[in-house]
Amino acid sequence: MSLPNQLPFNSYQANGASTVFTFEFYLISVDDLQVSIDGQRIDSGFSVIDVGKVTGGSVIFLTPPTAGRVVMLERVVPAYRSTDYQDNGDLLADTLNKDFDRLWMALQHISLYLDLTLQRPLLSGPFNAQHYRIINGADPIDEQDFATKHYIDQVALAQTLRVPEKNVSLLPLAKERANKLLAFDTGGQPIVILPDKGTAADVLLELEKETGAGKVGALTPDKDKTTTQQALDNLADRASEMEKSIGDITGGIGEWNSTVDYEMNEIVRIGLSLYIAKRKNSQSRPLSSKTSINDWCPLLLNDPITVTVPTLFDTLTQAVTYFDKTTATQPVTIVINGSIADKNIQVTNSALRQLIIRGGEIQLGTDNGIIAKGSGVNVEVNNVKYIGAGPTAGGDKWTNTAVANFAMDGAAMILKSVTTTKVYYGAQAARAFLSAEYSSFLSGGDAGVLAFDGGQIYLKRCESNQCYDAAHGLGYGYVAEAGGSIWLQNCSSTLNVIAGLFANIGGHIRDDDGRHSGNVRACKVCAGSNIEMMGSQMNNSNTTNAEVLGGALSAWNTQFNGSKEGNGMYVTGGGVVHLHNCSTNSNKAYGIISEGLSSVKLYSSHTASGNKAGPCLPATFQQLGENGGWISN
């Protein structure tokens, strides 16, 4: 009989009552069993039964070990040979087998302890202590020696100027410290000051430095890289531009007066906000009625403002266009009352501090919804519902059509409690950032959410369900491709006809605590893309739960269970998978299939049980499978 591959030790925590402790490994001799309690070896006070059984035996203590103490049963085979074969003597199979078994038992014991040593990769890379302490080290001597805590505390820090607080601010940059003295402000934080002999010339030298603008409160993009003279020149340029822009104004700027007939291009002020007359004899109060929209144009809004659609503006597009010509230092809020029909609502003005669109329902038909475009554009959509004409209504990501929420070209878009249904894409980002929380993307076409062309999307507690384009056979919950990336936290997907998650053409998805069940596939990764998962559930798919087709997938504490017609995971085309403490259980076919020059690495306590066809293909670990697939643990 060959020697089984068994773990050569068992450990238990005593309860103060039990006297019988089992060992689940093969022993040839009772002398090969080492018994210890809390790391201290004991040689008496117990008996051993069932020595010689392949499945193991038991240790029976005369007195129960004290509760809480750790009982260790370990097979320790000494590295020497006791059998001496004689010339022309008997060569019995039993004796020979036991001799070889002892040899392999000793090697298994050595291998067990080798795995616990400080190790590094074979060809290159650092040693890895795997988060364990290293004790009893000597103090450093040479430059590249590691420093002990004793050396740091008693030598290094003893020669360092210290403070009792936990931290202290950094000193300024060298160019700011030059020719100055170290001092401390009223909070005890370090600053640099001019010497007592400082003169007006010293002050002028400071203002002339690259950091001079920061000392006079200059309004420049980077005060740390601007001299005072450059800041003054910038201020003069801005004043000149302002003079040109108001050169055609016929009168001065006065407070609103309802009895006055205003001239065209005349400016009035209400509170801190400025409006310019669009035609002569305009007495309509700005933003008080639909007439005032035609009479006045906002010039400068320094107060927060809220308007309604369709009460004041007929459509959302009309309201956005009105404020898209404005410089606003405070948020502008547009409230949608009831349901409106609108489309292609573009926000492009970066001079708006923030545009907030809130409430109501937008009927999109086959067109786009709200589009935020351009660097500096900041749009928030709150509690809005979008309804399209159907998930197959002419959508295409490359022509930017049939998108409910679209951030592009440097814009930032925030969705809160938003719902989209029957549109081709619920949310999309390209070369821009979009975030959403507590939002639902339902009955989409190609995808509920799409990040592509460098777009970045962050989602929290969102769902993307029932996506299906019957004309093209598409339908994904969340898609990242062409350099796009998505980070999901506590999100879900279900009933999508291709996959819940899809990474393609260099896309990246991270999924934390996701629930992606009941899709045709829970996730799919293609060439050059990757998906990371932490604590996710990728279960109960119609086919395979996870498909890795040349891409990479890493998962921690994640389930790939209960595939109805396929595998827990299928890896091919050079795909690479790392699974840490994951499960591929109760699937219709295999737990894991690896083929086509692919690699699957299992860490920690991975389980693959209850699969109808078997735990994996290849059938055993550390073995090349069909077409060069590899699975190892």
Side-chain angles (χ1 to χ4, degrees):
M1 180 195 70
S2 61
L3 178 67
N5 186 11
Q6 298 170 322
L7 198 64
F9 71 91
N10 294 104
S11 64
Y12 305 91
Q13 187 172 40
N15 58 15
S18 299
T19 58
V20 179
F21 298 84
T22 61
F23 56 89
E24 300 172 350
F25 46 82
Y26 175 34
L27 276 181
I28 295 177
S29 170
V30 70
D31 295 334
D32 296 338
L33 181 65
Q34 180 174 292
V35 180
S36 63
I37 297 179
D38 284 347
Q40 297 296 319
R41 178 175 176 175
I42 61 174
D43 297 316
S44 61
F46 62 88
S47 60
V48 183
I49 63 173
D50 293 332
V51 173
K53 283 190 175 182
V54 174
T55 56
S58 301
V59 172
I60 304 173
F61 287 87
L62 299 178
T63 302
T66 305
R69 303 185 73 181
V70 176
V71 177
M72 172 75 83
L73 309 178
E74 183 180 4
R75 184 178 66 201
V76 180
V77 179
Y80 63 82
R81 184 164 70 92
S82 60
T83 304
D84 185 21
Y85 299 98
Q86 303 299 316
D87 290 340
N88 299 318
D90 292 333
L91 190 61
L92 301 178
D94 182 63
T95 303
L96 193 61
N97 280 330
K98 286 183 177 179
D99 226 15
F100 274 104
D101 284 350
R102 288 182 61 81
L103 175 63
W104 284 108
M105 287 178 180
L107 289 174
Q108 287 178 354
H109 180 261
I110 293 171
S111 177
L112 175 67
Y113 279 87
L114 281 176
D115 288 341
L116 303 177
T117 60
L118 192 63
Q119 300 180 41
R120 62 178 287 275
L122 180 61
L123 297 179
S124 64
F127 285 91
N128 185 356
Q130 301 183 48
H131 304 289
Y132 289 101
R133 292 168 52 222
I134 298 175
I135 64 174
N136 299 327
D139 286 346
I141 298 175
D142 297 325
E143 287 187 358
Q144 297 301 312
D145 289 354
F146 284 96
T148 61
K149 186 177 185 298
H150 171 270
Y151 180 83
I152 295 296
D153 291 342
Q154 302 300 322
V155 180
L157 290 180
Q159 300 175 2
T160 304
L161 186 65
R162 292 171 288 172
V163 296
E165 291 81 13
K166 289 185 178 180
N167 57 66
V168 64
S169 300
L170 292 174
L171 287 172
L173 298 172
K175 57 188 177 183
E176 298 180 37
R177 301 195 305 268
N179 302 318
K180 295 181 182 178
L181 300 178
L182 177 64
F184 298 91
D185 62 16
T186 55
Q189 298 298 334
I191 58 174
V192 290
I193 61 174
L194 288 169
D196 289 340
K197 67 177 181 63
T199 64
D202 294 323
V203 174
L204 291 175
L205 289 174
E206 287 299 309
L207 296 178
E208 190 179 20
K209 285 185 177 179
E210 190 178 90
T211 57
K215 295 177 173 59
V216 295
L219 297 175
T220 59
D222 192 344
K223 292 182 287 187
D224 292 335
K225 294 184 179 179
T226 308
T227 67
T228 306
Q229 185 60 53
Q230 289 171 334
L232 292 173
D233 291 343
N234 179 64
L235 185 61
D237 291 341
R238 294 178 63 184
S240 176
E241 291 174 5
M242 183 179 295
E243 184 179 0
K244 292 177 182 177
S245 64
I246 63 176
D248 57 350
I249 296 176
T250 58
I253 301 175
E255 290 285 346
W256 170 265
N257 188 333
S258 62
T259 65
V260 174
D261 289 339
Y262 292 98
E263 298 292 330
M264 184 176 178
N265 291 330
E266 191 167 353
I267 296 176
V268 299
R269 177 164 58 89
I270 300 179
L272 298 177
S273 299
L274 302 181
Y275 297 85
I276 186 169
K278 295 169 67 176
R279 59 188 181 185
K280 189 174 182 178
N281 299 324
S282 299
Q283 294 187 25
S284 298
R285 183 182 179 89
L287 297 184
S288 61
S289 67
K290 290 186 177 180
T291 302
S292 67
I293 298 170
N294 298 319
D295 289 344
W296 298 92
C297 178
L299 184 65
L300 178 66
L301 298 175
N302 282 340
D303 290 322
I305 191 167
T306 299
V307 297
T308 58
V309 174
T311 305
L312 184 57
F313 296 90
D314 291 325
T315 64
L316 182 56
T317 297
Q318 188 182 52
V320 171
T321 301
Y322 184 78
F323 291 109
D324 216 26
K325 304 172 183 177
T326 303
T327 296
T329 61
Q330 299 295 324
V332 173
T333 301
I334 303 173
V335 178
I336 302 171
N337 287 328
S339 179
I340 62 172
D342 209 346
K343 61 184 180 180
N344 299 321
I345 307 147
Q346 294 202 39
V347 185
T348 60
N349 184 10
S350 61
L352 281 169
R353 178 187 175 192
Q354 184 181 34
L355 182 65
I356 301 172
I357 300 169
R358 190 176 70 220
E361 179 180 284
I362 304 177
Q363 300 283 345
L364 295 180
T366 61
D367 293 282
N368 292 318
I370 299 173
I371 304 171
K373 182 177 182 180
S375 178
V377 173
N378 186 354
V379 178
E380 177 184 312
V381 184
N382 195 330
N383 200 32
V384 174
K385 183 176 183 179
Y386 302 80
I387 299 180
T392 59
D396 181 72
K397 58 178 170 289
W398 304 113
T399 57
N400 307 325
T401 55
V403 187
N405 301 279
F406 192 6
M408 62 189 302
D409 296 336
M413 195 170 196
I414 301 172
L415 310 181
K416 296 181 179 179
S417 301
V418 166
T419 301
T420 69
T421 181
K422 295 183 179 180
V423 296
Y424 207 63
Y425 299 100
Q428 187 168 299
R431 306 170 302 281
F433 174 77
L434 181 146
S435 70
E437 59 180 16
Y438 298 98
S439 296
S440 299
F441 308 98
L442 310 174
S443 301
D446 186 352
V449 177
L450 169 66
F452 76 106
D453 199 7
Q456 300 180 43
I457 295 179
Y458 169 73
L459 304 175
K460 181 178 181 181
R461 298 190 183 281
C462 296
E463 61 177 344
S464 184
N465 306 330
Q466 299 176 317
C467 294
Y468 180 38
D469 174 1
H472 302 94
L474 301 173
Y476 306 91
Y478 308 93
V479 177
E481 65 181 9
S485 63
I486 299 178
W487 184 6
L488 303 102
Q489 289 190 312
N490 297 104
C491 295
S492 64
S493 67
T494 186
L495 300 177
N496 297 291
V497 301
I498 301 295
L501 309 180
F502 180 43
N504 186 36
I505 319 174
H508 171 72
I509 296 177
R510 173 172 172 174
D511 184 73
D512 294 346
D513 300 309
R515 301 168 306 284
H516 306 283
S517 300
N519 301 286
V520 172
R521 299 168 188 79
C523 68
K524 184 175 181 179
V525 192
C526 289
S529 303
N530 68 89
I531 292 181
E532 299 175 85
M533 303 172 187
M534 299 282 288
S536 300
Q537 300 175 30
M538 319 297 289
N539 299 331
N540 304 319
S541 301
N542 292 352
T543 59
T544 293
N545 285 318
E547 284 189 3
V548 182
L549 311 178
L553 184 148
S554 299
W556 289 261
N557 304 311
T558 295
Q559 302 173 6
F560 302 89
N561 302 334
S563 170
K564 298 174 184 177
E565 296 295 334
N567 311 288
M569 181 173 295
Y570 174 62
V571 189
T572 188
V576 177
V577 173
H578 286 194
L579 302 179
H580 304 253
N581 196 29
C582 297
S583 62
T584 51
N585 300 332
S586 305
N587 297 287
K588 181 67 176 293
Y590 288 95
I592 303 174
I593 290 181
S594 177
E595 63 179 22
L597 300 177
S598 299
S599 172
V600 177
K601 176 68 175 178
L602 309 179
Y603 298 87
S604 304
S605 54
H606 180 272
T607 59
S609 60
N611 298 290
K612 188 171 182 180
C616 62
L617 186 69
T620 60
F621 295 130
Q622 298 286 6
Q623 175 181 327
L624 280 174
E626 183 177 352
N627 297 325
W630 179 270
I631 300 178
S632 66
N633 61 353

